[in-house]
Amino acid sequence: LTPTREITVAVAREKEAPFTIEQARIRPPQADEVLVKVVATGLCHTDLIVRDQFYPVPLPAVLGHEGAGIVEQVGSDVTALAPGDPVVLSYGYCGHCAQCTSGMPGYCDQFFGLNFGGSDTEGNSALADAEGEVLHDHFFAQSSFATYALVKQANAVKVSADAPLELLGPLGCGIQTGAGAVINTLRVRPGSSFLALGAGAVGLSAVMAARVAGATTIIAVDVVASRLALAMELGATHTINTLETDLVEGVREITGAGTQFALESTGRPEVLAQAIEALGPLGQIGVVGAPKLGTTSEFDVNNLLLGGRTIRGIVEGDSVPGVFIPHLVELHRQGRFPFDKLVRFYDLDQINEAAQDSLEGRTLKAILRMP
Ligand code: NAD
Ligand code: ZN
């Protein structure tokens, strides 16, 4: 199948360079694929670290992994979706390895290849640029900084027709990561204490989820005052600005013995090391923030051991997208998970402005509307 349909895409051509808006072509869906007309796509910190090559996705590439849109066309083997269905796109997984079959697709044997490989599993791309040259794609099994995207039915989650589709793309990654880490992984309990390291899109999703879960002490940590103010609106009971207050001392002052639960989303090894110190006895910390490959962090072994503390890496909030995303849509509809307060909309051709605003802390969750 050759790329025939004309589409508009944002391309990451070079490491650390701005995205370029280009015309490209996409091929039709294969038997097990769905072509989605993208309505809007969230911008996640992970798009920017891949553009900057923290992870070695081959360039030039079409990134974008928080897409939402309408099914346009389905391949002959697709049974769960039909043209016209509204869908939220999420990450790719094989569906048949030990982790996928035990309900943990975020740890799929093929996760890296399917989400960061830059092509399908045979090394083929579905996109060509205006000169007919290959654009690397299949980013998070979608490459949705584009007016159309090809996905498998397993990573396109059907949502109800009256859901606010334009808003929902970030549920497919950043928001399900923060919320899922709290609800699915840490299983934060009613009456407990929770510490969010980083009050970005992921951290604030965790704050909202901790309130849903019934935590009664919710501490948000950041270096951006406006983000901490929003955290208080979304359910935090305390904030710590680490430019002003020592993290470990601040947490001990609020909790006494230390926090029961924590989530590290700053991607900074020194914050992780301090957060481990801020855990109480039997405290658990989830790690979702992603530094450069090879980054190490240090902690006191006996502090971990004698306190019975746990450190756990988490991909995508341990979410099964088809189960968890509809839960978040319903919590939002009921007003209990107001993630729309994080969002600012941009047009696709403002992607570099959206990226800059995100990096400089002015925008929490940018969503790019497709032309
Ligand atoms: P973000 O940039 O919006 O949030 C990070 C926050 O950390 C920012 O508010 C920043 O001000 C704060 N911060 C930075 N340094 C700090 C410090 N020293 N002390 C306190 N706060 C500090 O990014 P995001 O979209 O919320 O994503 C967070 C991280 O999660 C990124 O590393 C991203 O790549 C990663 N991520 C992981 C998964 C996963 O599956 N594990 C999924 C999505 C995103
Ligand atoms: Zn992401």
Side-chain angles (χ1 to χ4, degrees):
L1 292 170
T2 50
T4 48
R5 183 186 289 264
E6 288 211 30
I7 65 172
T8 304
V9 294
V11 185
R13 286 217 165 255
E14 280 169 54
K15 180 180 175 177
E16 289 164 6
F19 294 96
T20 52
I21 303 296
E22 303 183 17
Q23 296 307 114
R25 286 173 198 274
I26 192 168
R27 64 159 171 74
Q30 290 171 345
D32 62 345
E33 288 178 328
V34 176
L35 181 72
V36 174
K37 184 174 194 326
V38 180
V39 169
T41 302
L43 177 74
C44 174
H45 197 82
T46 307
D47 294 302
L48 303 179
I49 67 175
V50 168
R51 178 197 66 182
D52 297 346
Q53 297 282 282
F54 282 35
Y55 290 175
V57 176
L59 303 180
V62 175
L63 306 178
H65 64 286
E66 294 185 342
I70 307 277
V71 173
E72 173 101 2
Q73 204 184 335
V74 299
S76 54
D77 292 349
V78 172
T79 51
L81 293 169
D85 284 346
V87 288
V88 174
L89 310 182
S90 195
Y91 63 92
Y93 54 94
C94 78
H96 45 74
C97 69
Q99 291 75 254
C100 284
T101 48
S102 42
M104 291 295 240
Y107 310 91
C108 172
D109 283 346
Q110 296 186 45
F111 191 91
F112 209 86
L114 288 173
N115 293 289
F116 296 105
S119 66
D120 68 16
T121 44
E122 274 93 56
N124 299 311
S125 163
L127 300 178
D129 72 7
E131 267 71 58
E133 300 293 327
V134 163
L135 287 171
H136 292 286
D137 64 358
H138 285 76
F139 185 60
F140 274 84
Q142 56 182 281
S143 288
S144 53
F145 287 155
T147 48
Y148 286 85
L150 283 167
V151 298
K152 308 260 193 211
Q153 63 181 351
N155 68 307
V157 177
K158 189 172 167 177
V159 293
S160 68
D162 58 1
L165 196 56
E166 214 176 47
L167 197 62
L168 300 186
L171 296 181
C173 180
I175 293 179
Q176 89 176 344
T177 294
V182 165
I183 292 171
N184 301 323
T185 315
L186 297 170
R187 297 176 187 263
V188 168
R189 290 184 296 274
S192 66
S193 49
F194 174 72
L195 173 68
L197 290 314
V202 172
L204 290 176
S205 300
V207 165
M208 289 185 282
R211 179 164 68 174
V212 168
T216 45
T217 301
I218 301 175
I219 309 166
V221 177
D222 209 289
V223 290
V224 179
S226 60
R227 294 187 167 198
L228 294 174
L230 183 59
M232 290 298 287
E233 260 183 65
L234 297 174
T237 56
H238 302 79
T239 61
I240 297 173
N241 186 332
T242 49
L243 295 179
E244 295 160 4
T245 308
D246 178 77
L247 177 63
V248 181
E249 278 173 27
V251 173
R252 296 226 177 264
E253 199 161 296
I254 297 163
T255 59
T259 186
Q260 288 171 281
F261 299 102
L263 186 68
E264 159 33 50
S265 71
T266 70
R268 293 182 187 252
E270 70 279 11
V271 176
L272 174 60
Q274 283 191 304
I276 295 168
E277 294 292 318
L279 292 175
L282 296 168
Q284 300 176 36
I285 182 165
V287 180
V288 295
K292 284 193 170 123
L293 293 181
T295 303
T296 59
S297 176
E298 280 186 11
F299 59 88
D300 181 329
V301 176
N302 281 303
N303 176 45
L304 189 80
L305 183 164
L306 296 169
R309 297 176 175 91
T310 306
I311 313 174
R312 161 80 140 80
I314 306 170
V315 174
E316 298 287 338
D318 286 356
S319 311
V320 178
V323 175
F324 196 56
I325 289 172
H327 289 179
L328 294 177
V329 171
E330 181 58 15
L331 282 166
H332 176 257
R333 196 188 64 76
Q334 293 185 11
R336 298 163 69 193
F337 189 73
F339 74 95
D340 54 297
K341 292 201 176 136
L342 313 186
V343 168
R344 183 161 159 205
F345 285 101
Y346 297 79
D347 291 330
L348 177 65
D349 61 10
Q350 296 173 295
I351 184 170
N352 293 310
E353 190 184 328
Q356 210 52 37
D357 286 352
S358 303
L359 287 173
E360 288 166 15
R362 282 188 297 276
T363 297
L364 261 157
K365 173 52 76 180
I367 297 184
L368 307 169
R369 289 188 171 113
M370 296 304 146

